[in-house]
């Protein structure tokens, strides 16, 4: 039997071989005109598909020239700002209407919205014994992993999981939209008990409550929340629900669905994508960076001191020494990220309620100073702006939401967009994704095992 020492030695040798034999000369990407990461040389995405679901607008054409404009986020042809304004004017939570629009391509009337919201509420509870058997008996230290496993486990509780009819896929997607907040909240409770040695509290979701209200209720021991807290989380859910077909997790849904697999496999793959630190985990990096800044900048109102430390971060002399000022820059938005603009307004209201205005003004100052520092230090002519991740972690912190739930909240929101893309791919896709990879390994003469 292999000893622990022998195992470690073997793995070290295997690691060394992998590192030695897998690198590819960066010059080859240019030689063969390879679009690394499906991106063009200017950073824009390679056009690989068509969608009617969402659009991310950062430029407009004028006299044949691409001009940067304030960003716009479009859901099914409607500006997301109008969806949010409509919810505010009607004093209602807007995520449910947003999910309906993304899924079905039309705005619901009052009766349709009430019926849909009621059905969502009825589906929030997990199937019988699911919590005990699928969550509590196999807890995970990472809640995104628990959500992915919960999605795959849902296959076993579906009486007809392989039915690819659109009606059945719609049912599966609506049930997953409803249950994601419960999966995340219960996964968090299991983590508290088994990994953090803290008390666990399991509350039942209430069908009459919105997604935002239910989630806050489920993660708090006293089940209490203010109207402003729920409105702020609802806004974050709307803003994260969709971001075009090209974002990594939505593309994952298209790719996996194109193979003609089941809904649960497709959505679980998207959760795995979003779990990545280059995708859904970005707001945690912002909060960690802000922790570092707050420790090292003594006077939060001194712009010169703040600027000096941001410059050190950009020069790879401080924080994680990557040279990145997290929360700054986006692949499409350059003048402004509309999600950041809308969330910042709510963040200020919440900061007033929570007595966190000093911290809000620190964020605001960094938002003003960082773009010029990035441009100057990195000698870049690309204009950058704050993205939604810059304020979302701050907002979640003010809502007393633990950091391990930041990315799961993204998933609770984005499941609506993923579901819409899943349905769209099944209806309109028609071909399995099969991009090409250029083989750059030289052909070698085979050496028989006896002679090696």
């Amino acid at each position: 039997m292999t000893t622990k020492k022998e195992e470690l030695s073997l793995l070290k040798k295997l690691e060394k071989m992998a590192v030695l034999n897998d690198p590819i000369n960066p010059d080859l990407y240019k030689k063969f005109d390879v679009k690394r990461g499906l991106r063009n040389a200017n950073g824009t995405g390679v056009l690989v598909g068509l969608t009617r679901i969402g659009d991310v607008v950062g430029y407009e054409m004028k006299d044949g020239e691409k001009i940067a404009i304030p960003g716009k986020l479009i859901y099914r042809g409607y500006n997301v700002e109008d969806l949010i304004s409509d919810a505010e004017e009607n004093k209602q939570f807007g995520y449910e209407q947003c999910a309906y629009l993304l899924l079905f391509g039309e705005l619901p009337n009052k009766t349709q919205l009430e019926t849909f919201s009621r059905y969502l509420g009825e589906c929030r509870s997990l199937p019988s014994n699911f919590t005990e058997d699928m969550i509590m008996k196999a807890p995970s230290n990472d809640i995104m992993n628990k959500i992915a496993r919960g999605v795959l486990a849902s296959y076993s509780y579906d009486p007809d999981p392989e039915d690819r009819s659109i009606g059945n896929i719609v049912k599966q997607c609506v049930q997953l939209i409803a249950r994601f907040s419960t999966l995340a909240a219960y996964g968090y409770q299991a983590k508290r008990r088994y990994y953090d040695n803290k008390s666990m509290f399991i509350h039942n979701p209430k069908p009459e409550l919105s997604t935002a209200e239910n989630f806050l209720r489920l993660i708090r021991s006293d089940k209490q929340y203010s109207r402003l807290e729920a409105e702020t989380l609802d806004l974050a859910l709307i803003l994260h629900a969709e971001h075009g077909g090209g974002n990594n997790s939505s593309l994952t849904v298209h790719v996996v669905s194109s193979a003609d697999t089941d809904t649960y496999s497709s959505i679980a793959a998207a959760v795995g994508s979003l779990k990545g630190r280059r995708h859904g985990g970005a707001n945690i990096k912002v909060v960690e960076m802000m922790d570092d800044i707050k420790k090292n900048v003594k006077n939060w109102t001194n712009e010169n001191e703040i600027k000096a430390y941001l410059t050190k971060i950009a020069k790879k002399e401080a924080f994680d020494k990557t040279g990145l000022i997290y929360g700054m820059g986006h692949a499409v938005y350059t003048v402004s990220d509309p999600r950041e603009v809308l969330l910042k307004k709510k963040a200020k209201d919440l900061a007033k309620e929570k007595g966190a205005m000093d911290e809000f003004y620190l964020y605001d100052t960094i938002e003003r100073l960082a773009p010029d520092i990035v441009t100057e230090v990195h000698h870049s002519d690309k204009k950058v702006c704050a993205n939604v991740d810059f304020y979302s972690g701050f907002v979640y912190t003010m809502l007393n939401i633990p950091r391990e739930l930041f990315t799961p909240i993204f998933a609770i929101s984005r499941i609506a967009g993923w579901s819409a893309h899943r349905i769209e791919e099944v209806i309109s896709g028609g071909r399995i994704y099969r991009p090409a990879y250029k083989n750059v390994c030289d052909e070698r003469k085979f050496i028989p095992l006896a002679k090696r």
Side-chain angles (χ1 to χ4, degrees):
M1 184 175 177
T2 304
T3 66
K4 188 67 176 178
K5 184 177 180 180
E6 289 171 336
E7 179 189 21
L8 291 173
S9 177
L10 172 63
L11 292 175
K12 195 68 179 176
K13 291 176 182 176
L14 295 176
E15 175 192 9
K16 186 176 181 179
M17 283 192 290
V19 171
L20 177 67
N21 293 314
D22 275 352
I24 295 174
N25 186 339
D27 294 339
L28 295 177
Y29 289 95
K30 186 175 182 180
K31 176 181 178 181
F32 295 109
D33 191 28
V34 175
K35 312 293 186 181
R36 299 187 72 177
L38 289 180
R39 291 175 183 259
N40 295 308
N42 62 2
T44 58
V46 174
L47 188 62
V48 297
L50 303 173
T51 184
R52 295 174 60 89
I53 296 167
D55 196 12
V56 182
V57 182
Y59 301 89
E60 66 179 9
M61 297 303 296
K62 188 173 183 180
D63 299 327
E65 185 178 355
K66 193 166 74 169
I67 306 297
I69 61 172
K72 292 189 290 185
L73 179 57
I74 308 297
Y75 291 172
R76 292 286 192 173
Y78 298 100
N79 194 314
V80 73
E81 293 182 18
D82 295 328
L83 284 170
I84 292 166
S85 296
D86 183 60
E88 291 175 345
E89 289 173 11
N90 289 286
K91 293 181 170 54
Q92 66 183 27
F93 296 100
Y95 177 71
E96 287 68 31
Q97 175 174 241
C98 173
Y100 185 102
L101 172 64
L102 291 172
L103 284 172
F104 310 119
E106 296 180 2
L107 290 168
N109 60 35
K110 188 175 181 181
T111 301
Q112 290 170 327
L113 181 56
E114 289 175 351
T115 301
F116 179 70
S117 298
R118 182 170 61 250
Y119 182 56
L120 275 179
E122 292 168 354
C123 292
R124 288 197 205 287
S125 295
L126 302 179
S128 178
N129 298 323
F130 190 102
T131 302
E132 294 81 0
D133 294 341
M134 298 298 173
I135 297 179
M136 297 305 164
K137 288 183 179 178
S140 174
N141 198 32
D142 190 293
I143 298 164
M144 288 296 285
N145 174 269
K146 185 74 263 180
I147 293 174
R149 291 160 66 189
V151 172
L152 289 174
S154 297
Y155 181 102
S156 301
Y157 290 77
D158 187 329
D160 202 354
E162 291 290 344
D163 181 356
R164 305 287 204 280
S165 68
I166 298 303
N168 194 55
I169 291 175
V170 167
K171 182 189 75 171
Q172 292 169 332
C173 287
V174 170
Q175 289 179 346
L176 285 174
I177 291 170
R179 292 172 182 166
F180 254 51
S181 56
T182 311
L183 287 172
Y186 287 1
Y188 167 64
Q189 296 302 334
K191 177 186 180 298
R192 281 175 59 88
R193 178 180 177 182
Y194 292 99
Y195 290 92
D196 302 336
N197 295 316
K198 295 181 179 179
S199 297
M200 180 176 67
F201 39 89
I202 299 293
H203 308 312
N204 292 324
K206 297 184 73 171
E208 67 272 21
L209 297 181
S210 67
T211 303
E213 291 173 298
N214 258 305
F215 184 69
L216 291 175
R217 182 178 184 275
L218 292 180
I219 65 170
R220 294 181 173 179
S221 59
D222 61 3
K223 301 181 281 191
Q224 301 302 307
Y225 53 87
S226 71
R227 175 77 186 188
L228 179 58
E229 287 180 321
E231 287 176 347
T232 304
L233 182 56
D234 180 68
L235 172 63
L237 294 178
I238 295 172
L239 294 175
H240 287 87
E242 161 62 6
H243 214 232
N247 70 82
N248 196 277
S249 54
S250 293
L251 175 63
T252 297
V253 171
H254 278 281
V255 172
V256 178
S257 293
S258 77
D260 192 27
T261 191
D262 65 278
T263 297
Y264 303 104
S265 295
S266 173
I267 299 301
V271 175
S273 164
L274 190 68
K275 179 177 180 285
R277 288 177 291 183
R278 292 178 181 170
H279 193 2
N283 54 18
I284 296 176
K285 292 298 294 184
V286 174
V287 175
E288 290 173 349
M289 178 188 74
M290 291 301 297
D291 287 343
D292 181 73
I293 291 172
K294 285 183 281 187
K295 283 181 189 174
N296 290 282
V297 174
K298 293 187 173 66
N299 185 350
W300 294 2
T301 63
N302 187 321
E303 291 195 7
N304 289 330
E305 188 178 353
I306 295 170
K307 184 176 181 179
Y309 197 71
L310 289 175
T311 301
K312 289 181 68 176
I313 292 175
K315 289 182 175 180
K316 303 182 181 182
E317 297 171 357
F319 186 43
D320 62 1
K321 299 184 179 179
T322 62
L324 298 175
I325 298 180
Y326 293 97
M328 292 293 145
H330 189 268
V332 178
Y333 304 127
T334 56
V335 176
S336 63
D337 179 340
R339 302 167 301 169
E340 182 270 344
V341 173
L342 292 162
L343 193 60
K344 180 181 179 180
K345 292 178 182 178
K346 210 69 171 179
K348 187 173 184 179
D349 293 338
L350 192 61
K352 289 177 182 177
E353 181 179 277
K354 300 291 185 179
M357 287 304 294
D358 287 350
E359 193 167 354
F360 173 82
Y361 287 128
L362 175 61
Y363 272 83
D364 180 66
T365 302
I366 292 171
E367 180 188 357
R368 286 189 290 104
L369 297 177
D372 288 340
I373 292 170
V374 170
T375 299
E376 180 182 338
V377 173
H378 297 304
H379 307 291
S380 172
D381 56 359
K382 181 182 178 181
K383 185 177 177 65
V384 298
C385 62
N387 59 50
V388 69
D389 293 316
F390 188 69
Y391 281 101
S392 61
F394 176 45
V395 165
Y396 300 152
T397 300
M398 288 192 290
L399 291 174
N400 294 317
I401 295 173
R403 290 184 187 181
E404 57 260 52
L405 281 168
F406 287 8
T407 308
I409 288 174
F410 200 156
I412 292 167
S413 169
R414 187 58 63 84
I415 176 59
W418 291 338
S419 296
H421 284 286
R422 159 79 176 158
I423 295 167
E424 183 180 63
E425 181 63 38
V426 172
I427 292 175
S428 300
R431 298 188 70 180
I432 187 171
Y433 276 73
R434 180 54 172 90
Y437 268 69
K438 175 72 176 177
N439 189 331
V440 292
C441 179
D442 295 331
E443 187 172 349
R444 296 184 286 180
K445 184 177 179 179
F446 185 77
I447 303 171
L449 179 60
K451 294 184 178 180
R452 285 179 235 159

